[in-house]
Amino acid sequence: MRRFRRHGHESQRDRLKQELFHFNKTVEHGFPHQPSALGYSPSLQLLAIGNRSGAIKLYGAPGVEFMGLHDENAAVTQVHFLPHQVELVTLLDDNSLHMWTLRAHKGLSELLEIGRFMLTGPPGAPPSVTRVTAVLAHSSGELLLLGTEGGHVFVVEVPGFRELEERNISLDQVSNSVPDDYIGRRNLEHVEALQENPVNPNQVVIGYGRGLMIIWDLEKQRAIQHIPATQQLESVWWTEDGSYILSSHSDGSYCRWMVGAEDVNEEEEKSDIPYGHFPCKAISKIVQLPTEKGPPFLLFSGGMPRASYGDRHCITVIQNKTQVALDLTSRIIDFFVIRDGPKHTDPSALVVLVEEELVVIDLQTEGWPVIQTPYLVPLHSSAITCSHHISTIPIKLWERVIAAGELQNTHYSKKPWPITGGQNLAPDPPQRDLLLTGHEDGTVCFWDASGVCLYPMYKLSTAAVFHTDADPNDNMNQGTEGEWPPFRKVGCFDPYSDDPRLGIQKIHLCKYSGYLTVAGTAGQILVLELNDEAAEQTVEAKVVDLLQGQEGFRWKGHTRLDVREEPVLFPPGFQPFALVQCQPPAVVTALTLHSEWKLVAFGTSHGFGLYDYQQKNNVLIKCTLNPSDQLAMEGPLSRVKSIKKSLRQSFRRMRRSLSTSNSALSPHHMLYRHPQYSVPYTQIQDANARLEAELAEMELAPVQRKIEARSSDDSFTGLVRTLYFADTFLSDSSHNTPSLWAGTNGGCVFAFMLRLPPVEHRADEPVTAQPAKEIQLMHRAPVVGIVVLDGHGAPLPEPLEVAHDLARSPDLQGSHHLLVISEEQFKVFTLPKVSAKMKLKLTAVDGSRVRRVGVAWFGSSRSEDYGESGLVVLTNQGDLHVVSLPGVKMQVQYPCIRREDVSGIASCVFTKHGQGFYLISPSEFERFSLSTRHVVEPRCLVEVPLHSDNSTKHRPLHDGFSSAHGCVPSVCLSQSRRVMEHALLNDESEYRGENVFNL
């Protein structure tokens, strides 16, 4: 009987876990790391990006997102949508082709891989014969033309990936059609480009690396015109009316050729080197598009003068007499133009994918302004140094932050986001959530983290408070009147930090009062308040000596930042009004704010302090430095930053000197500078990349500590890991009092009793603090979290939460408990006696160490009224645990992050409702959920587009095919497509696998 009851109890507990907890990685926010290919479907209005790790991501209207992952760990080199269909083809650098489809399942679309293919050449043929270099998805939607390194063009039927051998175009066929006088019939090299005639789908142009272009008739299987260009070919473009072909070349020139000219040897009709006369870089892609009521647009990438501007990544836009060289922030991957208007002919937006961001230009508004992106925002415009999440933001604060952000975005286009494919079927977010990211350049970015799109709301900069090495007028890409080329800087990615001491290390925002505190790398703590108007004010620094005059210590790290003595004009938004400067100026390692008491607590590797920001006075200074800890005085936490700073400054000086010397020359001389006296920017970039890699290896990795007790002589035992405010019982069990708790790296917990004057005298009488308790953990494991539980076992509410009727008052009748979370265990003490009550040893069970901890509320998926508080824990193994409160029992465990991903583990931040974020690359957050109730994930539908009228013109091509040529008539091709779709809809087991992402 007893055994039955136990089994019944365990079953009930298991059911409860299923109602509360479920782990799922839900969506990736940010910009894909190392993008390598771009694709766009005008009929679906979907954007596709492939990257070097084999991921493929699709984006439509905000909230419409899909992700797929190739089994092969190979870079995606090309992405092509099949016209008017929901399929796309990817080419990897291992030469494999993959077919993907968006299939509707239970009312939602999911991205599936439905086929893969690799060209096979004749036995003994070299790999170059079948190495694919160019892909053309034919407008019929039923053929792929594959150009190869060996110069052949293979014709493949899709979606079945069946090679139509008799339709292939061999190099011999092409060579035989070329006149003998074509430069001795030299080697044509690889197929560089394939383009279809916009008005006759039977014709395609094949462009070879050496420059020759052949117009090939697919129906008659013969060349009908050859275009004998002599320069190395980069790209081709067939104009909308089918009458001209544009070719771009490696010498920075482009040519215009008439289609159908009788004399194949005639010179090109027009040849131009836009930025000559001195050597120029290649024009890698060229596009010409007509407009309904005006001259056409000409767009091309590259073509800059090598000597003077070889380091620039530019796309030139020309219409009529207007010409702009869009100067982008990193290497251009690809670009395309979205077309609008009554006949969908007018270019409306230019979409450019560069290595570090996506830039969209409004081509219909005067000045061609940038359109702000609702997703794919480069989170790493400056390197992310910390994160802070706030759930359930009050509407008033939300609207004020949005208003401040809109004032910063007046330079953006007013046009709506032009990529609108798919339907977002996700319900509206139940609450407003903010994610704050701190950056190396001293900025804090506010992101709307309520839904699938991590949308930028507002950006705060702290640099204006200090004197830095940055020159406000230093803009190397700043255009001047009459400058040639006519540069215009676009994009926001800027990895250079003029002074890494500005880097933000800790953030705390009170959503009820609007007070914000941020702390930095050089020991600076700023307190800011939200102001809807611009204000000019001086921020005075209050210096806090955390060493308190101890003899024999000498700080060897970086110096503190110099504060501006003159008034500074701060724009609307968060404005600093108080500044605390720690001495020594070490990295701030812990920070917390209590807006009801008007107090800020901060800690470094030397001690902690308490600051009254209403009276602007120091309340408490406590040195925690171990006398034997010399390492803490050498500033190892900042040594890497110092090296990074000095070397980056050197790079910036080099860039500035190059820019200055260029600008000092006349426009004529700016086109050329002898390479002996110049440093190519690509070399600087390569050196900087190597430096970053070396510095990353120098970063302090988590120490794999032993299980036995640590010595008090260990380094950084005085480093403050956590700070916590609590209104609880310290002196006796009948009088609760405000208190401050601090936990150190050496396993020590300090508690201070605070005396706050009455509200009417708060501005006059000082706040006082006196030592109350000190706990030394037996094994001296670092303290990573402190939580006080009230009489009901619930964590104490946030400051002002009860006053806003958003939480019940804590139970002050029963006894309180102190939960101390160290790297090795969870230990509960009774208050006020501080006697141990219970503990859970994490390290003793699996050898893990606690790295991140947070308190979350888990609501039941079946009952709106039921939920539990739990402790969410991330270990150094990358595992997530939920620990029950107040019983400290392990509830669930899930693997989340690879144990080798030290930066991912270090960047993890939890939400108050069981979700979390961590960096999977410098530019991307992975979002996960442990809760069954609070899940944010894409739920979207993409429908098969209706065929447009002009799609009927594609039929003659296939009607002309015959079985004698080894081709399948269009009826059979259509039938095979229906068979494939039927199989997808009815036999999920065959097609569902690791490449299925039901987002």
Side-chain angles (χ1 to χ4, degrees):
M1 186 69 177
R2 183 177 300 168
R3 188 174 300 168
F4 173 77
R5 284 179 180 170
R6 184 183 302 168
H7 182 267
H9 178 71
E10 289 178 354
S11 298
Q12 184 179 359
R13 184 174 160 191
D14 289 341
R15 283 198 302 272
L16 190 62
K17 288 181 181 179
Q18 291 175 4
E19 291 180 17
L20 296 176
F21 311 115
H22 177 70
F23 175 70
N24 191 18
K25 292 184 179 180
T26 56
V27 67
E28 293 177 3
H29 297 298
F31 182 78
H33 186 48
Q34 295 181 327
S36 53
L38 176 69
Y40 180 67
S41 169
S43 58
L44 297 177
Q45 291 191 301
L46 290 179
L47 164 80
I49 295 177
N51 70 6
R52 291 190 212 168
S53 60
I56 177 79
K57 297 186 177 184
L58 272 58
Y59 300 89
V64 176
E65 297 185 10
F66 301 92
M67 189 190 112
L69 188 64
H70 295 86
D71 289 337
E72 298 80 0
N73 186 18
V76 181
T77 56
Q78 295 187 45
V79 180
H80 299 274
F81 283 90
L82 301 189
H84 306 288
Q85 294 170 40
V86 290
E87 282 84 32
L88 64 150
V89 174
T90 55
L91 173 66
L92 305 188
D93 67 356
D94 65 359
N95 206 42
S96 61
L97 287 155
H98 301 255
M99 177 72 73
W100 298 80
T101 189
L102 286 166
R103 191 201 61 173
H105 176 64
K106 295 181 179 178
L108 299 175
S109 294
E110 55 188 8
L111 184 60
L112 298 174
E113 182 180 352
I114 57 172
R116 60 189 65 186
F117 172 74
M118 190 172 286
L119 277 175
T120 55
S128 63
V129 171
T130 54
R131 181 79 186 175
V132 179
T133 54
V135 178
L136 171 62
H138 194 268
S139 58
S140 65
E142 297 173 351
L143 292 178
L144 284 182
L145 276 67
L146 308 175
T148 66
E149 196 175 282
H152 305 284
V153 177
F154 294 82
V155 181
V156 175
E157 167 198 319
V158 287
F161 278 136
R162 187 170 74 88
E163 183 183 341
L164 307 179
E165 295 182 12
E166 285 75 8
R167 306 301 297 178
N168 292 343
I169 307 166
S170 70
L171 188 60
D172 289 339
Q173 287 177 283
V174 173
S175 298
N176 291 334
S177 68
V178 177
D180 294 337
D181 60 351
Y182 179 66
I183 315 179
R185 297 182 66 177
R186 60 181 180 172
N187 181 19
L188 301 178
E189 289 191 354
H190 62 281
V191 177
E192 181 66 49
L194 289 167
Q195 281 277 324
E196 181 180 339
N197 187 338
V199 297
N200 185 354
N202 286 323
Q203 295 179 1
V204 295
V205 60
I206 307 169
Y208 292 92
R210 281 285 179 91
L212 176 72
M213 289 166 280
I214 294 287
I215 297 179
W216 187 268
D217 191 302
L218 293 172
E219 186 179 358
K220 298 175 182 177
Q221 293 194 72
R222 65 180 180 86
I224 57 175
Q225 183 180 347
H226 82 276
I227 301 171
T230 55
Q231 287 293 335
Q232 193 79 17
L233 186 69
E234 293 289 323
S235 75
V236 299
W237 179 262
W238 211 318
T239 59
E240 196 77 6
D241 58 6
S243 57
Y244 290 96
I245 287 175
L246 272 65
S247 61
S248 68
H249 301 275
S250 59
D251 64 344
S253 68
Y254 71 87
C255 306
R256 187 187 306 271
W257 311 86
M258 181 179 288
V259 175
E262 293 182 4
D263 185 1
V264 293
N265 292 317
E266 68 177 350
E267 289 297 315
E268 62 269 21
E269 181 171 307
K270 181 184 178 185
S271 178
D272 190 10
I273 303 178
Y275 296 110
H277 304 284
F278 293 102
C280 292
K281 297 188 73 176
I283 293 179
S284 57
K285 182 173 181 177
I286 190 164
V287 171
Q288 180 178 301
L289 293 170
T291 58
E292 192 73 21
K293 299 177 181 177
F297 274 91
L298 181 68
L299 306 96
F300 58 85
S301 56
M304 288 292 118
R306 282 187 180 276
S308 303
Y309 301 110
D311 60 337
R312 302 289 181 98
H313 311 285
C314 293
I315 288 184
T316 298
V317 184
I318 303 173
Q319 189 195 27
N320 204 5
K321 295 181 179 179
T322 304
Q323 178 169 342
V324 171
L326 301 172
D327 190 4
L328 293 134
T329 58
S330 51
R331 186 175 65 89
I332 297 167
I333 305 296
D334 201 355
F335 71 90
F336 64 85
V337 177
I338 297 175
R339 305 171 74 178
D340 205 350
K343 298 181 180 179
H344 296 281
T345 55
D346 279 357
S348 63
L350 167 65
V351 180
V352 187
L353 176 68
V354 296
E355 274 192 326
E356 304 295 352
E357 62 183 314
L358 184 81
V359 178
V360 181
I361 306 294
D362 177 4
L363 295 177
Q364 293 185 337
T365 302
E366 187 178 357
W368 299 334
V370 173
I371 301 174
Q372 187 172 20
T373 57
Y375 47 71
L376 288 169
V377 183
L379 309 178
H380 64 316
S381 293
S382 173
I384 295 176
T385 47
C386 67
S387 303
H388 178 60
H389 186 274
I390 312 99
S391 300
T392 324
I393 304 295
I395 184 65
K396 187 175 181 180
L397 175 65
W398 187 264
E399 290 174 345
R400 293 177 71 191
V401 171
I402 288 176
E406 286 176 347
L407 292 173
Q408 297 177 330
N409 297 334
T410 53
H411 59 288
Y412 283 116
S413 168
K414 304 300 182 188
K415 287 286 182 69
W417 181 242
I419 300 170
T420 57
Q423 304 171 46
N424 179 13
L425 303 180
D428 291 335
Q431 59 196 33
R432 295 170 294 274
D433 290 352
L434 273 177
L435 179 67
L436 274 59
T437 54
H439 298 266
E440 192 182 32
D441 62 356
T443 57
V444 177
C445 292
F446 287 62
W447 307 90
D448 178 355
S450 313
V452 170
C453 295
L454 196 65
Y455 186 77
M457 295 175 66
Y458 165 73
K459 186 175 183 178
L460 162 70
S461 176
T462 62
V465 179
F466 307 99
H467 288 286
T468 66
D469 297 332
D471 179 2
N473 299 315
D474 175 32
N475 185 353
M476 291 176 294
N477 296 317
Q478 195 171 357
T480 57
E481 191 69 29
E483 181 188 18
W484 187 261
F487 289 120
R488 185 183 130 210
K489 182 176 173 59
V490 291
C492 59
F493 176 72
D494 183 10
Y496 295 96
S497 174
D498 292 287
D499 196 336
R501 293 177 299 172
L502 290 167
I504 306 297
Q505 298 295 330
K506 297 291 175 183
I507 306 170
H508 194 116
L509 170 66
C510 175
K511 62 187 178 185
Y512 304 109
S513 64
Y515 283 108
L516 170 70
T517 180
V518 297
T521 303
Q524 72 273 26
I525 299 102
L526 282 165
V527 188
L528 309 96
E529 62 181 337
L530 192 54
N531 191 345
D532 300 328
E533 303 292 335
E536 189 174 33
Q537 57 197 41
T538 304
V539 183
E540 295 182 6
K542 191 77 173 181
V543 179
V544 175
D545 182 10
L546 291 173
L547 296 180
Q548 295 183 294
Q550 293 197 33
E551 298 292 331
F553 291 103
R554 180 169 160 266
W555 173 249
K556 300 176 184 177
H558 50 228
T559 59
R560 73 185 195 187
L561 286 160
D562 295 325
V563 182
R564 293 185 184 274
E565 297 178 358
E566 68 276 9
V568 177
L569 180 63
F570 295 103
F574 284 93
Q575 299 171 349
F577 66 91
L579 170 61
V580 179
Q581 177 61 59
C582 296
Q583 251 337 85
V587 174
V588 176
T589 57
L591 182 72
T592 189
L593 167 79
H594 200 297
S595 52
E596 193 171 357
W597 301 343
K598 302 291 194 295
L599 298 174
V600 168
F602 52 89
T604 71
S605 53
H606 306 118
F608 61 93
L610 182 63
Y611 178 74
D612 177 355
Y613 63 80
Q614 182 172 2
Q615 296 186 25
K616 297 185 178 180
N617 283 328
N618 295 326
V619 176
L620 163 68
I621 302 172
K622 170 69 176 176
C623 180
T624 57
L625 187 67
N626 189 315
S628 62
D629 189 3
Q630 289 295 325
L631 198 58
M633 300 311 300
E634 295 177 2
L637 289 179
S638 60
R639 240 184 332 187
V640 173
K641 299 292 185 184
S642 301
I643 297 169
K644 200 180 289 188
K645 170 193 171 184
S646 60
L647 288 165
R648 279 181 175 169
Q649 283 177 340
S650 300
F651 284 130
R652 288 192 75 86
R653 281 194 293 269
M654 290 170 72
R655 292 178 72 215
R656 283 187 196 137
S657 64
L658 288 174
S659 175
T660 305
S661 61
N662 286 345
S663 60
L665 298 172
S666 66
H668 175 76
H669 288 94
M670 284 172 69
L671 298 175
Y672 178 74
R673 199 173 69 250
H674 197 284
Q676 180 181 348
Y677 304 108
S678 66
V679 181
Y681 182 49
T682 51
Q683 292 183 17
I684 298 175
Q685 280 185 312
D686 292 342
N688 207 17
R690 288 195 299 270
L691 168 69
E692 292 286 356
E694 293 170 8
L695 294 176
E697 294 177 4
M698 294 168 59
E699 296 285 356
L700 295 171
V703 181
Q704 300 299 313
R705 295 183 174 84
K706 300 177 182 179
I707 302 260
E708 60 263 20
R710 299 117 193 248
S711 166
S712 60
D713 295 334
D714 284 352
S715 296
F716 293 109
T717 54
L719 185 145
V720 179
R721 293 285 291 270
T722 185
L723 291 161
Y724 180 74
F725 285 113
D727 189 352
T728 187
F729 302 97
L730 273 181
S731 57
D732 58 64
S733 57
S734 56
H735 298 91
N736 58 297
T737 179
S739 62
L740 172 66
W741 301 76
T744 72
N745 221 34
C748 194
V749 177
F750 300 95
F752 283 79
M753 190 182 301
L754 308 178
R755 193 197 74 81
L756 299 170
V759 176
E760 59 271 18
H761 299 294
R762 177 64 181 84
D764 308 317
E765 297 182 14
V767 178
T768 59
Q770 62 184 57
K773 307 287 182 185
E774 185 172 334
I775 307 168
Q776 178 62 61
L777 300 181
M778 186 182 302
H779 292 293
R780 300 182 182 276
V783 178
V784 295
I786 296 172
V787 179
V788 172
L789 308 173
D790 69 5
H792 293 303
L796 296 183
E798 296 179 24
L800 295 175
E801 194 172 14
V802 175
H804 285 75
D805 295 326
L806 294 170
R808 65 174 179 81
S809 298
D811 182 5
L812 299 176
Q813 302 302 318
S815 60
H816 283 194
H817 292 89
L818 172 70
L819 172 59
V820 177
I821 304 114
S822 72
E823 282 192 351
E824 295 181 359
Q825 67 180 6
F826 311 88
K827 197 163 187 176
V828 178
F829 299 88
T830 60
L831 289 175
K833 292 184 178 180
V834 195
S835 56
K837 183 179 181 182
M838 63 182 82
K839 62 185 174 184
L840 172 64
K841 291 187 175 180
L842 181 70
T843 299
V845 176
D846 60 6
S848 298
R849 300 277 187 268
V850 176
R851 284 286 177 259
R852 288 284 182 271
V853 66
V855 175
W857 173 260
F858 293 93
S860 170
S861 60
R862 298 186 182 179
S863 172
E864 286 288 332
D865 301 329
Y866 181 75
E868 291 181 3
S869 286
L871 206 62
V872 186
V873 179
L874 176 68
T875 72
N876 62 341
Q877 305 297 313
D879 294 334
L880 288 168
H881 300 261
V882 179
V883 178
S884 65
L885 294 175
V888 289
K889 295 188 183 303
M890 200 68 74
Q891 297 282 79
V892 289
Q893 175 183 350
Y894 303 103
C896 181
I897 310 174
R898 290 181 303 108
R899 69 175 68 183
E900 301 82 12
D901 188 1
V902 176
S903 60
I905 293 172
S907 65
C908 185
V909 58
F910 298 121
T911 79
K912 298 291 185 185
H913 294 94
Q915 297 185 67
F917 302 80
Y918 67 93
L919 288 171
I920 54 173
S921 74
S923 58
E924 295 170 286
F925 275 112
E926 176 82 69
R927 187 176 190 141
F928 62 85
S929 174
L930 288 161
S931 169
T932 56
R933 186 185 291 182
H934 291 89
V935 181
V936 174
E937 60 183 349
R939 297 177 61 84
C940 33
L941 177 65
V942 175
E943 297 178 340
V944 180
L946 296 174
H947 278 246
S948 59
D949 294 337
N950 61 1
S951 65
T952 57
K953 71 185 180 186
H954 305 151
R955 288 301 168 201
L957 170 66
H958 300 297
D959 293 340
F961 283 176
S962 67
S963 57
H965 290 125
C967 292
V968 183
S970 60
V971 174
C972 297
L973 288 172
S974 301
Q975 193 173 19
S976 68
R977 178 174 300 283
R978 286 197 295 272
V979 170
M980 176 72 75
E981 291 172 351
H982 179 77
L984 282 172
L985 291 171
N986 295 284
D987 188 10
E988 295 180 31
S989 60
E990 183 178 348
Y991 292 96
R992 288 183 65 89
E994 293 182 3
N995 290 311
V996 179
F997 294 82
N998 186 8
L999 297 183

